[in-house]
Amino acid sequence: MARRSRHRLLLLLLRYLVVALGYHKAYGFSAPKDHQVVTAIEYQEVILACKTPKKTISSRLEWKKLGRSVSFVYYQQALQGDFKDRAEMIDFNIRIKNVTRNDAGKYRCEVSAPSEQGQNLEEDTVTLQVLVAPAVPSCEVPTSALRGTVAELRCQDKEGNPAPEYTWFKDGIRLLENPKSGSPGTNSSYTMNIKSGTLQFNTVSKLDSGEYSCEARNSVGYRRCPGKRMQVDDLNVSGIIAAVVVVALVIAVCGLGVCYAQRKGYFSKETSFQKSGAASKATTMSENDFKHTKSFII
């Protein structure tokens, strides 16, 4: 029984292989080729190559851009969409004259042609990576800071691909990433993060006053923001003491005035006036009630 079941299983496997081979010959599906990755700089040209056999009269070519939804790039022997005006076909390949960041993504070419085994279909996939230069970065520089406090400057670019690295300049001179290796006359208490674009002074000093600008740079290009001035001032201790003294004097004068008014009886007189007014009002109301009752009895 065990031998018979094994023979049956082998026969089923053989039948499956025969059917699969027949299906492959009938429709001619071929395994996908090695995945291509093409890199281009924005606004320059790039060629998306379809690595398939040579084109014949009976060959049918289609290019598609893959993603959440599949869109045709080349269909029925014509380029589609905005590729009509900025691309051309070279054999099976697409030459994009001025590539943009929106063109980045995965593309697939499909070539079908009749063969002795049936309709043969071959596919090739290409991933397009578009490199983008940074834009003018956004720089945040405090206009003023107190000596000895923490001051943080920020720089950011949202367009560069790959992500740029950041460098800070003070009065047009580049700040070193490691401040301790700089000249003795400069403040070495800052920390620069070239990835996030932050420049932080742990204890800012008057030497740090100046005009600051930031540069964003990647493998494609670089841009710098306009300089902004940061002024570092000493804490005005004398001014603070003078303000405190003035406030204390105002409070003292107000207190003396209240005491003087209480001694003179201004607050008590006001209270007696209020009491006499309330009493006269009550007397008037009682007289009116008496007259109203008397008239009612008559």
Side-chain angles (χ1 to χ4, degrees):
M1 292 292 293
R3 290 181 178 178
R4 289 181 181 178
S5 61
R6 289 177 183 175
H7 285 304
R8 289 178 181 177
L9 183 59
L10 289 172
L11 289 172
L12 288 173
L13 289 172
L14 288 173
R15 287 179 182 178
Y16 176 77
L17 289 173
V18 169
V19 171
L21 289 172
Y23 185 81
H24 182 272
K25 288 182 179 179
Y27 292 94
F29 286 103
S30 62
K33 301 180 183 299
D34 294 336
H35 187 79
Q36 301 181 64
V37 178
V38 179
T39 303
I41 298 175
E42 190 175 31
Y43 305 126
Q44 295 187 7
E45 73 171 43
V46 66
I47 294 178
L48 304 181
C50 184
K51 296 181 179 180
T52 58
K54 292 183 178 180
K55 187 176 181 180
T56 61
I57 299 175
S58 57
S59 297
R60 179 183 175 183
L61 172 67
E62 291 181 0
W63 272 94
K64 300 175 183 177
K65 186 178 182 181
L66 310 179
R68 294 182 180 178
S69 60
V70 178
S71 58
F72 281 101
V73 177
Y74 182 81
Y75 180 68
Q76 292 184 347
Q77 300 182 351
L79 289 164
Q80 305 295 314
D82 65 340
F83 285 99
K84 293 179 181 178
D85 302 323
R86 57 189 185 90
E88 63 179 357
M89 297 301 300
I90 303 176
D91 203 7
F92 283 172
N93 309 322
I94 299 179
R95 175 177 172 261
I96 305 176
K97 300 175 184 178
N98 57 334
V99 66
T100 67
R101 66 193 71 184
N102 295 327
D103 298 329
K106 185 178 290 186
Y107 294 81
R108 184 176 67 205
C109 70
E110 301 174 357
V111 180
S112 60
S115 64
E116 296 179 355
Q117 293 83 13
Q119 193 73 11
N120 184 46
L121 176 64
E122 294 198 17
E123 298 178 353
D124 194 16
T125 306
V126 182
T127 296
L128 174 60
Q129 296 179 346
V130 180
L131 305 181
V132 182
V136 176
S138 173
C139 299
E140 297 180 10
V141 179
T143 55
S144 62
L146 293 176
R147 182 171 63 88
T149 60
V150 177
E152 185 175 83
L153 289 68
R154 299 177 183 178
C155 181
Q156 188 178 23
D157 166 71
K158 296 182 179 180
E159 297 189 18
N161 183 36
E165 293 186 349
Y166 302 94
T167 305
W168 281 94
F169 294 81
K170 179 194 172 188
D171 297 328
I173 300 174
R174 179 179 178 179
L175 294 177
L176 300 176
E177 185 179 354
N178 182 11
K180 294 182 179 180
S181 61
S183 59
T186 59
N187 185 6
S188 61
S189 68
Y190 69 81
T191 303
M192 185 191 303
N193 191 325
I194 63 174
K195 299 296 183 182
S196 64
T198 58
L199 175 65
Q200 180 174 301
F201 293 93
N202 299 322
T203 52
V204 68
S205 69
K206 297 197 73 173
L207 292 173
D208 299 320
S209 295
E211 187 177 82
Y212 288 85
S213 60
C214 172
E215 181 182 277
R217 178 186 293 266
N218 63 7
S219 58
V220 185
Y222 63 92
R223 298 293 295 273
R224 188 185 299 188
C225 69
K228 296 181 180 180
R229 182 167 182 80
M230 180 179 72
Q231 182 65 38
V232 181
D233 297 317
D234 289 324
L235 188 63
N236 192 353
V237 179
S238 59
I240 294 174
I241 294 174
V244 171
V245 170
V246 170
V247 172
L249 288 174
V250 170
I251 294 173
V253 169
C254 292
L256 291 173
V258 171
C259 292
Y260 179 78
Q262 285 181 346
R263 288 181 180 180
K264 292 293 184 179
Y266 293 134
F267 295 122
S268 60
K269 287 181 179 180
E270 184 180 355
T271 305
S272 63
F273 289 154
Q274 290 177 354
K275 288 181 179 179
S276 61
S280 61
K281 186 176 181 182
T283 304
T284 305
M285 290 178 64
S286 62
E287 290 178 355
N288 291 336
D289 292 341
F290 175 75
K291 290 179 181 180
H292 180 71
T293 305
K294 185 177 180 181
S295 62
F296 178 74
I297 293 171
I298 295 172

